[in-house]
Amino acid sequence: MFGAVNWNKAEYDEFPDAQCWSGQIQSQGCNVDTNGDGVMEQDLSGEPMLRAPEWTANFGFDYAMSVFEDMTLRFGSNTNYSDSYSASSVNLKDAYQTAM
């Protein structure tokens, strides 16, 4: 038998000049002009990092038994779990992978 559980609290410490997603408006967070060039950006400081689920786990087993003198029967199973996570580098809310 085997198994593992992982807890991961990965978030951006500082990310004040992140690219906005296409069509993002000011009320959705695209409201930062960090260098005064008129190009709007968003501040993702404190937001979850890309592809970093908070919880993951896997469990399973392998089993082997002798069937004949020179034969072995083997079988096993495993399962994996991943919490939801952002699949977008610009933190698009519609681009979250659901837990599975």
Side-chain angles (χ1 to χ4, degrees):
M1 294 181 70
F2 59 88
V5 176
N6 181 59
W7 177 74
N8 179 25
K9 187 67 173 168
E11 60 185 34
Y12 297 109
D13 287 333
E14 295 180 23
F15 197 178
D17 55 351
Q19 178 182 358
C20 297
W21 40 271
S22 180
Q24 186 177 9
I25 58 177
Q26 285 187 341
S27 64
Q28 295 170 318
C30 188
N31 55 11
V32 179
D33 184 1
T34 55
N35 55 9
D37 62 358
V39 176
M40 301 306 280
E41 296 165 331
Q42 62 180 327
D43 185 0
L44 293 180
S45 301
E47 293 291 322
M49 293 184 82
L50 174 65
R51 291 186 293 275
E54 189 170 358
W55 288 99
T56 59
N58 66 33
F59 301 98
F61 71 92
D62 292 313
Y63 182 77
M65 62 185 248
S66 182
V67 180
F68 296 107
E69 186 174 311
D70 58 348
M71 294 183 141
T72 303
L73 175 64
R74 297 179 183 271
F75 61 96
S77 177
N78 63 47
T79 187
N80 295 302
Y81 169 78
S82 174
D83 211 357
S84 63
Y85 59 88
S86 175
S88 165
S89 62
V90 294
N91 210 24
L92 177 63
K93 300 303 179 194
D94 291 340
Y96 265 74
Q97 174 65 48
T98 57
M100 59 174 111

Coordinates of all heavy atoms in Angstrom, one line a residue:
M1 N 0.9 -1.2 0.0 CA 0.0 0.0 0.0 C 0.9 1.2 0.0 O 2.0 1.2 0.5 CB -0.9 0.0 1.2 CG -1.9 -1.2 1.2 SD -3.0 -1.1 2.7 CE -3.9 0.3 2.3
F2 N 0.4 2.3 -0.6 CA 1.1 3.5 -0.6 C 0.1 4.7 -0.6 O -1.0 4.5 -1.0 CB 2.1 3.6 -1.8 CG 1.4 3.5 -3.1 CD1 0.9 4.6 -3.8 CD2 1.3 2.3 -3.8 CE1 0.3 4.5 -5.0 CE2 0.7 2.1 -5.0 CZ 0.2 3.3 -5.6
G3 N 0.6 5.8 -0.2 CA -0.2 7.0 -0.2 C 0.6 8.2 0.1 O 1.7 8.2 0.7
A4 N 0.1 9.4 -0.3 CA 0.7 10.6 0.0 C -0.4 11.7 0.0 O -1.3 11.7 -0.8 CB 1.8 11.0 -1.0
V5 N -0.2 12.7 0.8 CA -1.1 13.9 0.9 C -0.2 15.1 0.9 O 0.9 15.1 1.5 CB -2.0 13.9 2.1 CG1 -2.8 15.2 2.2 CG2 -2.9 12.7 2.1
N6 N -0.5 16.1 0.1 CA 0.3 17.3 0.0 C -0.6 18.6 0.2 O -1.6 18.7 -0.4 CB 1.0 17.4 -1.4 CG 1.8 18.7 -1.5 OD1 2.8 18.8 -0.7 ND2 1.5 19.5 -2.5
W7 N -0.1 19.5 1.1 CA -0.7 20.8 1.3 C 0.2 21.8 0.7 O 1.4 21.8 1.1 CB -1.1 21.0 2.7 CG -1.7 22.4 3.0 CD1 -2.9 22.8 2.7 CD2 -1.0 23.5 3.6 NE1 -3.1 24.1 3.0 CE2 -1.9 24.6 3.6 CE3 0.3 23.7 4.1 CZ2 -1.6 25.8 4.1 CZ3 0.5 25.0 4.6 CH2 -0.4 26.0 4.6
N8 N -0.3 22.7 -0.1 CA 0.6 23.7 -0.7 C -0.2 25.1 -0.7 O -1.2 25.2 -1.3 CB 0.8 23.3 -2.2 CG 1.7 24.2 -3.0 OD1 2.4 25.0 -2.4 ND2 1.6 24.2 -4.3
K9 N 0.4 26.1 -0.1 CA -0.2 27.4 -0.1 C 0.7 28.3 -0.9 O 1.4 29.2 -0.4 CB -0.4 27.9 1.4 CG -1.1 29.2 1.5 CD -2.6 29.0 1.1 CE -3.3 30.3 1.5 NZ -4.6 30.3 0.9
A10 N 0.6 28.1 -2.2 CA 1.5 28.9 -3.1 C 0.7 30.1 -3.6 O -0.3 30.0 -4.3 CB 1.9 28.1 -4.3
E11 N 1.3 31.3 -3.3 CA 0.7 32.5 -3.8 C 1.8 33.5 -4.1 O 2.9 33.4 -3.6 CB -0.3 33.1 -2.8 CG 0.3 33.4 -1.5 CD -0.8 33.9 -0.5 OE1 -1.9 33.4 -0.5 OE2 -0.4 34.8 0.3
Y12 N 1.5 34.5 -5.0 CA 2.5 35.5 -5.4 C 2.7 36.4 -4.2 O 1.7 37.0 -3.7 CB 2.0 36.3 -6.6 CG 1.8 35.5 -7.8 CD1 0.6 35.2 -8.3 CD2 2.9 35.0 -8.5 CE1 0.4 34.5 -9.5 CE2 2.8 34.3 -9.7 CZ 1.5 34.0 -10.2 OH 1.4 33.3 -11.3
D13 N 3.9 36.6 -3.7 CA 4.2 37.6 -2.7 C 4.0 39.0 -3.3 O 3.3 39.8 -2.7 CB 5.6 37.5 -2.2 CG 5.9 36.2 -1.3 OD1 4.9 35.8 -0.7 OD2 7.0 35.7 -1.3
E14 N 4.6 39.2 -4.4 CA 4.5 40.5 -5.1 C 4.4 40.3 -6.6 O 5.3 39.6 -7.2 CB 5.7 41.4 -4.8 CG 5.9 41.8 -3.4 CD 7.1 42.7 -3.1 OE1 7.6 43.3 -4.1 OE2 7.6 42.7 -2.0
F15 N 3.4 40.8 -7.2 CA 3.2 40.7 -8.7 C 2.4 41.9 -9.1 O 1.3 41.7 -9.6 CB 2.6 39.4 -9.0 CG 2.7 38.9 -10.5 CD1 2.2 37.7 -10.9 CD2 3.4 39.7 -11.4 CE1 2.3 37.3 -12.2 CE2 3.5 39.3 -12.7 CZ 2.9 38.1 -13.1
P16 N 2.9 43.1 -8.9 CA 2.1 44.3 -9.2 C 1.9 44.6 -10.6 O 1.0 45.4 -11.0 CB 3.0 45.4 -8.5 CG 4.4 44.9 -8.6 CD 4.3 43.4 -8.5
D17 N 2.6 44.1 -11.6 CA 2.5 44.4 -13.0 C 2.2 43.2 -13.9 O 2.7 43.0 -14.9 CB 3.8 45.1 -13.5 CG 5.0 44.3 -13.2 OD1 4.9 43.3 -12.5 OD2 6.1 44.7 -13.7
A18 N 1.2 42.4 -13.4 CA 0.8 41.3 -14.2 C -0.1 41.7 -15.4 O -0.9 42.7 -15.3 CB 0.0 40.3 -13.3
Q19 N 0.1 41.0 -16.5 CA -0.7 41.2 -17.7 C -2.2 41.0 -17.4 O -2.6 40.2 -16.6 CB -0.3 40.3 -18.8 CG -1.0 40.4 -20.1 CD -0.5 39.4 -21.1 OE1 0.4 38.6 -20.8 NE2 -1.1 39.4 -22.3
C20 N -3.0 41.9 -18.0 CA -4.5 41.7 -17.9 C -4.9 40.6 -18.9 O -4.3 40.5 -20.0 CB -5.2 43.0 -18.2 SG -4.9 44.3 -17.0
W21 N -6.0 39.9 -18.6 CA -6.5 39.0 -19.6 C -7.4 39.8 -20.7 O -7.9 40.9 -20.4 CB -7.3 37.9 -19.0 CG -8.2 38.2 -17.9 CD1 -7.9 38.2 -16.6 CD2 -9.6 38.5 -17.9 NE1 -9.0 38.5 -15.8 CE2 -10.1 38.7 -16.6 CE3 -10.5 38.7 -18.9 CZ2 -11.4 39.0 -16.3 CZ3 -11.8 39.0 -18.6 CH2 -12.2 39.2 -17.3
S22 N -7.5 39.2 -21.8 CA -8.2 39.9 -23.0 C -9.6 40.2 -22.6 O -10.4 39.4 -22.2 CB -8.2 39.0 -24.2 OG -8.8 39.6 -25.3
G23 N -9.9 41.5 -22.7 CA -11.3 42.0 -22.4 C -11.5 42.3 -20.9 O -12.6 42.8 -20.6
Q24 N -10.5 42.2 -20.1 CA -10.6 42.6 -18.7 C -10.8 44.1 -18.6 O -10.1 44.8 -19.2 CB -9.4 42.1 -17.9 CG -9.5 42.3 -16.4 CD -8.3 41.7 -15.7 OE1 -7.3 41.3 -16.3 NE2 -8.4 41.7 -14.4
I25 N -11.7 44.5 -17.7 CA -12.0 45.9 -17.5 C -11.5 46.3 -16.1 O -11.2 45.5 -15.3 CB -13.5 46.2 -17.7 CG1 -14.4 45.4 -16.8 CG2 -13.9 46.0 -19.2 CD1 -15.9 45.7 -16.8
Q26 N -11.6 47.6 -15.9 CA -11.0 48.2 -14.6 C -11.7 47.6 -13.4 O -11.1 47.3 -12.4 CB -11.1 49.7 -14.6 CG -10.1 50.4 -15.5 CD -10.1 51.9 -15.4 OE1 -11.0 52.5 -14.9 NE2 -9.0 52.5 -15.8
S27 N -13.1 47.4 -13.5 CA -13.8 46.9 -12.3 C -13.4 45.5 -12.0 O -13.7 45.0 -10.9 CB -15.3 47.1 -12.5 OG -15.7 46.3 -13.6
Q28 N -12.8 44.8 -13.0 CA -12.4 43.4 -12.8 C -10.9 43.3 -12.4 O -10.3 42.2 -12.3 CB -12.6 42.6 -14.1 CG -14.0 42.5 -14.5 CD -14.2 41.9 -15.9 OE1 -13.5 42.2 -16.8 NE2 -15.2 41.0 -16.0
G29 N -10.3 44.5 -12.1 CA -8.9 44.5 -11.6 C -7.9 44.9 -12.5 O -6.7 45.1 -12.1
C30 N -8.2 45.2 -13.8 CA -7.2 45.7 -14.7 C -7.1 47.2 -14.6 O -7.6 48.0 -15.4 CB -7.6 45.3 -16.1 SG -6.3 45.7 -17.4
N31 N -6.5 47.7 -13.5 CA -6.5 49.1 -13.2 C -5.2 49.7 -12.7 O -5.2 50.6 -11.9 CB -7.6 49.3 -12.1 CG -7.4 48.5 -10.9 OD1 -6.4 47.8 -10.7 ND2 -8.4 48.4 -10.1
V32 N -4.1 49.1 -13.0 CA -2.8 49.5 -12.6 C -1.9 49.9 -13.8 O -1.8 49.2 -14.7 CB -2.0 48.4 -11.8 CG1 -0.7 48.9 -11.3 CG2 -2.9 48.0 -10.6
D33 N -1.4 51.2 -13.8 CA -0.4 51.6 -14.8 C 0.9 51.9 -14.1 O 1.2 52.9 -13.6 CB -1.0 52.9 -15.5 CG -0.1 53.4 -16.6 OD1 0.9 52.7 -16.9 OD2 -0.4 54.4 -17.2
T34 N 1.7 50.8 -14.0 CA 2.9 50.9 -13.2 C 4.0 51.8 -13.7 O 4.7 52.4 -12.9 CB 3.5 49.5 -13.0 OG1 3.8 48.9 -14.3 CG2 2.6 48.6 -12.2
N35 N 4.1 52.0 -15.0 CA 5.2 52.8 -15.5 C 4.7 54.0 -16.3 O 5.5 54.7 -17.0 CB 6.2 52.0 -16.3 CG 5.6 51.2 -17.5 OD1 4.4 51.4 -17.7 ND2 6.3 50.3 -18.1
G36 N 3.5 54.4 -16.2 CA 2.9 55.6 -16.8 C 2.9 55.6 -18.3 O 2.8 56.6 -19.0
D37 N 2.9 54.4 -19.0 CA 2.8 54.3 -20.4 C 1.4 54.1 -21.0 O 1.2 54.0 -22.2 CB 3.7 53.2 -21.0 CG 3.3 51.8 -20.5 OD1 2.3 51.7 -19.7 OD2 4.0 50.9 -20.9
G38 N 0.4 54.1 -20.1 CA -1.0 54.0 -20.5 C -1.4 52.5 -20.7 O -2.6 52.3 -21.0
V39 N -0.5 51.6 -20.5 CA -0.9 50.2 -20.6 C -1.3 49.7 -19.2 O -0.6 49.8 -18.2 CB 0.4 49.3 -21.1 CG1 0.0 47.8 -21.1 CG2 0.8 49.8 -22.5
M40 N -2.6 49.3 -19.1 CA -3.1 48.9 -17.9 C -2.7 47.4 -17.5 O -2.6 46.6 -18.4 CB -4.6 49.0 -17.9 CG -5.1 50.4 -18.2 SD -4.5 51.6 -17.1 CE -5.5 51.4 -15.7
E41 N -2.4 47.2 -16.3 CA -2.0 45.9 -15.8 C -2.8 45.6 -14.5 O -3.7 46.4 -14.1 CB -0.5 45.9 -15.4 CG 0.3 46.2 -16.7 CD 1.7 46.6 -16.4 OE1 2.0 47.2 -15.3 OE2 2.6 46.3 -17.2
Q42 N -2.6 44.5 -13.9 CA -3.3 44.1 -12.7 C -2.3 43.7 -11.6 O -1.2 43.3 -11.9 CB -4.3 43.0 -12.9 CG -3.8 41.7 -13.4 CD -4.8 40.7 -13.6 OE1 -5.8 40.6 -13.0 NE2 -4.6 39.8 -14.6
D43 N -2.7 43.8 -10.4 CA -1.9 43.5 -9.3 C -2.3 42.1 -8.7 O -3.4 42.0 -8.2 CB -1.9 44.5 -8.2 CG -1.0 44.2 -7.0 OD1 -0.3 43.2 -7.1 OD2 -1.0 45.0 -6.1
L44 N -1.5 41.1 -9.0 CA -1.9 39.7 -8.5 C -1.1 39.3 -7.2 O -1.1 38.2 -6.8 CB -1.5 38.7 -9.6 CG -2.4 38.8 -10.9 CD1 -1.9 37.7 -11.9 CD2 -3.8 38.7 -10.6
S45 N -0.6 40.3 -6.5 CA 0.0 40.0 -5.2 C -1.0 39.4 -4.3 O -2.1 39.9 -4.1 CB 0.6 41.3 -4.6 OG 1.5 42.0 -5.4
G46 N -0.6 38.3 -3.7 CA -1.5 37.6 -2.7 C -2.4 36.6 -3.4 O -3.1 35.9 -2.7
E47 N -2.4 36.5 -4.7 CA -3.3 35.6 -5.5 C -2.6 34.3 -5.6 O -1.4 34.2 -5.6 CB -3.7 36.2 -6.9 CG -4.5 37.5 -6.8 CD -5.9 37.2 -6.3 OE1 -6.5 36.1 -6.7 OE2 -6.4 38.0 -5.6
P48 N -3.4 33.2 -5.8 CA -2.8 31.9 -6.0 C -2.0 31.8 -7.3 O -2.3 32.4 -8.3 CB -4.1 31.0 -6.2 CG -5.2 31.7 -5.7 CD -4.9 33.2 -5.8
M49 N -0.9 31.0 -7.2 CA 0.0 30.9 -8.3 C -0.6 29.9 -9.3 O -1.5 29.1 -9.0 CB 1.4 30.3 -7.8 CG 2.1 31.3 -7.0 SD 3.7 30.7 -6.5 CE 4.6 31.1 -8.0
L50 N -0.1 30.0 -10.5 CA -0.5 29.2 -11.7 C -0.2 27.7 -11.4 O 0.9 27.3 -11.0 CB 0.3 29.6 -12.9 CG 0.2 28.8 -14.2 CD1 -1.2 29.0 -14.7 CD2 1.2 29.3 -15.2
R51 N -1.2 26.9 -11.7 CA -1.2 25.4 -11.5 C -0.6 25.0 -10.2 O 0.2 24.1 -10.1 CB -0.3 24.8 -12.7 CG -1.0 24.9 -14.0 CD -0.2 24.2 -15.1 NE 1.0 24.8 -15.4 CZ 1.2 25.7 -16.3 NH1 0.2 26.3 -16.9 NH2 2.4 26.2 -16.5
A52 N -1.2 25.5 -9.1 CA -0.7 25.2 -7.7 C -1.9 24.9 -6.9 O -2.4 25.7 -6.1 CB 0.1 26.3 -7.1
P53 N -2.5 23.7 -7.0 CA -3.6 23.3 -6.1 C -3.2 23.3 -4.6 O -2.1 23.0 -4.3 CB -4.0 21.9 -6.6 CG -2.8 21.3 -7.2 CD -2.0 22.5 -7.8
E54 N -4.1 23.7 -3.8 CA -3.8 23.7 -2.4 C -3.7 22.3 -1.8 O -2.8 22.0 -1.0 CB -4.9 24.4 -1.6 CG -4.6 24.7 -0.2 CD -5.5 25.6 0.5 OE1 -6.5 26.1 -0.1 OE2 -5.3 25.9 1.7
W55 N -4.5 21.3 -2.2 CA -4.4 19.9 -1.7 C -4.3 19.0 -2.9 O -5.0 19.1 -3.9 CB -5.7 19.6 -1.0 CG -5.8 20.2 0.3 CD1 -6.5 21.3 0.6 CD2 -5.2 19.8 1.6 NE1 -6.4 21.6 2.0 CE2 -5.6 20.7 2.6 CE3 -4.3 18.8 1.9 CZ2 -5.1 20.6 3.9 CZ3 -3.9 18.7 3.2 CH2 -4.3 19.6 4.2
T56 N -3.4 18.0 -2.8 CA -3.3 16.9 -3.7 C -3.1 15.6 -2.9 O -2.6 15.7 -1.7 CB -2.1 17.0 -4.7 OG1 -0.9 17.1 -4.0 CG2 -2.3 18.2 -5.6
A57 N -3.5 14.5 -3.4 CA -3.3 13.2 -2.7 C -3.3 12.1 -3.7 O -3.8 12.2 -4.8 CB -4.5 13.0 -1.7
N58 N -2.6 11.0 -3.3 CA -2.7 9.8 -4.1 C -2.6 8.6 -3.2 O -2.0 8.6 -2.1 CB -1.7 9.7 -5.2 CG -0.3 9.6 -4.7 OD1 0.0 9.0 -3.6 ND2 0.7 10.2 -5.4
F59 N -3.4 7.5 -3.5 CA -3.4 6.3 -2.7 C -3.5 5.1 -3.6 O -4.0 5.2 -4.7 CB -4.7 6.3 -1.8 CG -4.7 7.5 -0.9 CD1 -5.5 8.6 -1.2 CD2 -4.0 7.5 0.3 CE1 -5.6 9.7 -0.3 CE2 -4.1 8.5 1.2 CZ -4.8 9.6 0.9
G60 N -3.0 4.0 -3.2 CA -3.1 2.8 -4.0 C -2.4 1.6 -3.3 O -2.0 1.6 -2.2
F61 N -2.4 0.5 -4.1 CA -1.8 -0.7 -3.6 C -1.3 -1.6 -4.8 O -1.8 -1.4 -5.9 CB -2.8 -1.5 -2.8 CG -3.9 -2.2 -3.6 CD1 -3.8 -3.4 -4.1 CD2 -5.1 -1.5 -3.9 CE1 -4.8 -4.0 -4.9 CE2 -6.1 -2.0 -4.6 CZ -5.9 -3.3 -5.1
D62 N -0.4 -2.4 -4.5 CA 0.1 -3.4 -5.5 C 0.1 -4.8 -4.8 O 0.5 -4.8 -3.6 CB 1.5 -3.1 -6.0 CG 1.6 -1.8 -6.8 OD1 0.8 -1.7 -7.7 OD2 2.5 -1.0 -6.6
Y63 N -0.3 -5.8 -5.5 CA -0.3 -7.1 -4.8 C 0.2 -8.1 -5.8 O -0.1 -8.1 -7.0 CB -1.7 -7.5 -4.4 CG -1.8 -8.8 -3.8 CD1 -1.5 -9.0 -2.4 CD2 -2.3 -9.9 -4.4 CE1 -1.5 -10.2 -1.8 CE2 -2.4 -11.2 -3.8 CZ -2.0 -11.3 -2.5 OH -2.0 -12.5 -1.8
A64 N 1.1 -9.1 -5.3 CA 1.6 -10.1 -6.2 C 1.5 -11.4 -5.4 O 1.7 -11.5 -4.2 CB 3.1 -9.8 -6.5
M65 N 1.1 -12.5 -6.2 CA 1.1 -13.8 -5.6 C 1.5 -14.9 -6.6 O 1.3 -14.7 -7.8 CB -0.4 -14.2 -5.1 CG -1.4 -14.2 -6.2 SD -3.0 -14.4 -5.6 CE -3.4 -16.0 -6.2
S66 N 2.2 -15.9 -6.1 CA 2.7 -16.9 -7.0 C 1.5 -17.8 -7.5 O 0.6 -18.2 -6.7 CB 3.7 -17.8 -6.2 OG 4.2 -18.8 -7.0
V67 N 1.4 -18.0 -8.8 CA 0.4 -18.8 -9.3 C 0.9 -20.2 -9.7 O 0.3 -21.2 -9.3 CB -0.2 -18.2 -10.6 CG1 -1.3 -19.0 -11.2 CG2 -0.7 -16.8 -10.3
F68 N 2.0 -20.3 -10.3 CA 2.6 -21.6 -10.7 C 4.1 -21.4 -10.3 O 4.5 -20.4 -9.8 CB 2.5 -21.9 -12.1 CG 1.1 -22.2 -12.6 CD1 0.4 -21.3 -13.3 CD2 0.4 -23.3 -12.2 CE1 -0.9 -21.5 -13.7 CE2 -0.9 -23.6 -12.5 CZ -1.6 -22.6 -13.3
E69 N 4.9 -22.4 -10.5 CA 6.3 -22.4 -10.1 C 7.0 -21.2 -10.7 O 7.8 -20.6 -10.0 CB 6.9 -23.7 -10.6 CG 8.4 -23.9 -10.2 CD 8.9 -25.2 -10.6 OE1 8.3 -26.2 -10.4 OE2 10.0 -25.2 -11.1
D70 N 6.8 -20.8 -11.9 CA 7.5 -19.7 -12.5 C 6.6 -18.6 -13.0 O 6.9 -17.8 -13.8 CB 8.4 -20.2 -13.6 CG 7.6 -20.9 -14.7 OD1 6.4 -21.2 -14.5 OD2 8.2 -21.1 -15.8
M71 N 5.4 -18.5 -12.4 CA 4.4 -17.4 -12.8 C 4.0 -16.7 -11.5 O 3.8 -17.3 -10.5 CB 3.2 -18.0 -13.5 CG 3.5 -18.6 -14.8 SD 2.0 -19.2 -15.5 CE 2.2 -18.7 -17.2
T72 N 3.8 -15.4 -11.7 CA 3.3 -14.6 -10.7 C 2.1 -13.8 -11.2 O 2.2 -13.2 -12.3 CB 4.4 -13.6 -10.2 OG1 5.5 -14.4 -9.8 CG2 3.9 -12.7 -9.0
L73 N 1.1 -13.7 -10.4 CA -0.1 -12.9 -10.7 C 0.1 -11.6 -10.0 O 0.3 -11.6 -8.7 CB -1.4 -13.6 -10.3 CG -2.7 -12.8 -10.5 CD1 -2.9 -12.5 -12.0 CD2 -3.9 -13.5 -9.9
R74 N 0.0 -10.5 -10.7 CA 0.1 -9.1 -10.0 C -1.1 -8.3 -10.4 O -1.6 -8.3 -11.5 CB 1.3 -8.4 -10.5 CG 2.6 -9.1 -10.2 CD 3.8 -8.3 -10.7 NE 5.1 -9.0 -10.5 CZ 5.8 -8.8 -9.4 NH1 5.4 -7.9 -8.5 NH2 6.9 -9.4 -9.2
F75 N -1.6 -7.5 -9.4 CA -2.6 -6.5 -9.7 C -2.5 -5.4 -8.7 O -1.9 -5.5 -7.7 CB -4.0 -7.1 -9.8 CG -4.5 -7.8 -8.5 CD1 -5.2 -7.1 -7.6 CD2 -4.1 -9.1 -8.2 CE1 -5.6 -7.6 -6.4 CE2 -4.6 -9.7 -7.0 CZ -5.3 -9.0 -6.1
G76 N -3.1 -4.3 -9.1 CA -3.0 -3.1 -8.2 C -4.0 -2.1 -8.7 O -4.7 -2.2 -9.7
S77 N -4.0 -1.0 -7.9 CA -4.9 0.1 -8.2 C -4.3 1.3 -7.6 O -3.6 1.3 -6.6 CB -6.3 -0.2 -7.7 OG -7.1 0.9 -7.9
N78 N -4.6 2.5 -8.2 CA -4.2 3.8 -7.5 C -5.2 4.8 -7.9 O -5.9 4.7 -8.9 CB -2.8 4.2 -7.8 CG -2.6 4.4 -9.3 OD1 -3.3 5.1 -10.0 ND2 -1.5 3.9 -9.8
T79 N -5.3 5.8 -7.1 CA -6.2 7.0 -7.4 C -5.5 8.3 -7.0 O -4.7 8.3 -6.1 CB -7.6 6.8 -6.7 OG1 -8.4 7.8 -7.1 CG2 -7.4 6.9 -5.2
N80 N -5.9 9.3 -7.7 CA -5.3 10.6 -7.5 C -6.4 11.7 -7.2 O -7.4 11.6 -7.8 CB -4.4 11.1 -8.7 CG -3.2 10.2 -8.9 OD1 -2.4 10.0 -8.0 ND2 -3.2 9.6 -10.1
Y81 N -6.0 12.7 -6.4 CA -7.0 13.8 -6.2 C -6.2 15.1 -6.3 O -5.0 15.2 -5.9 CB -7.6 13.7 -4.8 CG -8.3 15.0 -4.5 CD1 -9.6 15.2 -5.0 CD2 -7.8 15.9 -3.6 CE1 -10.3 16.4 -4.7 CE2 -8.4 17.1 -3.3 CZ -9.7 17.3 -3.9 OH -10.3 18.5 -3.6
S82 N -6.8 16.1 -6.9 CA -6.2 17.4 -7.0 C -7.3 18.4 -6.7 O -8.4 18.3 -7.3 CB -5.6 17.7 -8.4 OG -5.2 19.0 -8.5
D83 N -7.0 19.4 -5.8 CA -7.9 20.5 -5.6 C -8.0 21.4 -6.8 O -7.2 21.2 -7.7 CB -7.4 21.2 -4.4 CG -8.4 21.9 -3.5 OD1 -9.6 21.8 -3.9 OD2 -8.1 22.5 -2.5
S84 N -8.9 22.3 -6.8 CA -9.0 23.2 -8.0 C -7.8 24.1 -8.0 O -7.1 24.4 -7.0 CB -10.3 24.0 -7.9 OG -10.3 24.8 -6.8
Y85 N -7.4 24.6 -9.2 CA -6.3 25.5 -9.4 C -6.5 26.4 -10.6 O -7.2 26.0 -11.5 CB -5.0 24.7 -9.4 CG -4.9 23.7 -10.6 CD1 -4.4 24.1 -11.8 CD2 -5.3 22.4 -10.4 CE1 -4.4 23.2 -12.9 CE2 -5.2 21.5 -11.4 CZ -4.7 21.9 -12.7 OH -4.7 21.0 -13.7
S86 N -5.7 27.5 -10.6 CA -5.8 28.4 -11.8 C -4.9 27.8 -12.9 O -3.8 27.4 -12.7 CB -5.2 29.7 -11.4 OG -5.1 30.6 -12.5
A87 N -5.5 27.8 -14.1 CA -4.8 27.3 -15.3 C -4.5 28.4 -16.2 O -4.2 28.3 -17.3 CB -5.7 26.3 -16.0
S88 N -4.5 29.7 -15.6 CA -4.3 30.9 -16.4 C -3.2 31.7 -15.7 O -3.3 32.0 -14.6 CB -5.6 31.7 -16.5 OG -5.3 33.0 -17.0
S89 N -2.2 32.1 -16.5 CA -1.1 32.9 -15.9 C -1.6 34.3 -15.6 O -0.9 35.1 -14.8 CB 0.1 33.0 -16.9 OG -0.3 33.7 -18.1
V90 N -2.8 34.7 -16.1 CA -3.3 36.1 -15.7 C -4.5 36.0 -14.8 O -5.2 36.9 -14.6 CB -3.7 36.8 -17.0 CG1 -2.5 37.2 -17.9 CG2 -4.7 36.1 -17.9
N91 N -4.7 34.8 -14.2 CA -5.7 34.6 -13.1 C -7.1 34.8 -13.6 O -7.9 35.3 -12.9 CB -5.4 35.4 -11.9 CG -5.9 34.7 -10.6 OD1 -6.0 33.5 -10.6 ND2 -6.2 35.5 -9.6
L92 N -7.4 34.4 -14.9 CA -8.7 34.5 -15.4 C -9.6 33.5 -14.6 O -9.4 32.3 -14.5 CB -8.7 34.0 -16.9 CG -10.0 34.0 -17.6 CD1 -10.7 35.4 -17.7 CD2 -9.8 33.5 -19.0
K93 N -10.7 34.1 -14.1 CA -11.6 33.3 -13.2 C -12.3 32.1 -13.9 O -12.6 31.1 -13.3 CB -12.6 34.2 -12.5 CG -12.0 35.3 -11.7 CD -11.1 34.7 -10.6 CE -10.5 35.9 -9.7 NZ -9.4 35.5 -8.9
D94 N -12.5 32.3 -15.2 CA -13.1 31.2 -16.0 C -12.1 30.1 -16.4 O -12.5 29.1 -17.0 CB -13.7 31.8 -17.3 CG -14.9 32.6 -17.0 OD1 -15.5 32.5 -15.9 OD2 -15.3 33.4 -17.9
A95 N -10.8 30.2 -16.0 CA -9.8 29.3 -16.4 C -9.3 28.5 -15.2 O -8.1 28.2 -15.1 CB -8.7 30.0 -17.1
Y96 N -10.2 28.2 -14.3 CA -9.9 27.3 -13.1 C -10.2 25.9 -13.4 O -11.3 25.6 -13.9 CB -10.6 27.8 -11.9 CG -9.8 28.8 -11.1 CD1 -9.6 30.1 -11.5 CD2 -9.2 28.4 -9.9 CE1 -8.9 31.0 -10.7 CE2 -8.5 29.2 -9.1 CZ -8.3 30.5 -9.5 OH -7.5 31.4 -8.8
Q97 N -9.2 25.0 -13.1 CA -9.5 23.6 -13.2 C -10.2 23.1 -12.0 O -9.8 23.4 -10.9 CB -8.1 22.8 -13.3 CG -8.3 21.3 -13.3 CD -9.0 20.8 -14.5 OE1 -8.7 21.1 -15.6 NE2 -9.9 19.9 -14.3
T98 N -11.3 22.5 -12.1 CA -12.1 22.1 -11.0 C -11.4 20.9 -10.3 O -10.6 20.2 -10.8 CB -13.5 21.7 -11.4 OG1 -13.5 20.6 -12.3 CG2 -14.3 22.8 -11.9
A99 N -11.8 20.7 -9.0 CA -11.2 19.6 -8.2 C -11.6 18.3 -8.8 O -12.7 18.1 -9.4 CB -11.7 19.7 -6.8
M100 N -10.7 17.3 -8.8 CA -11.0 16.0 -9.4 C -10.2 14.9 -8.6 O -9.2 15.1 -8.1 CB -10.7 15.9 -10.8 CG -9.2 16.2 -11.2 SD -8.9 15.9 -12.9 CE -8.6 17.6 -13.5

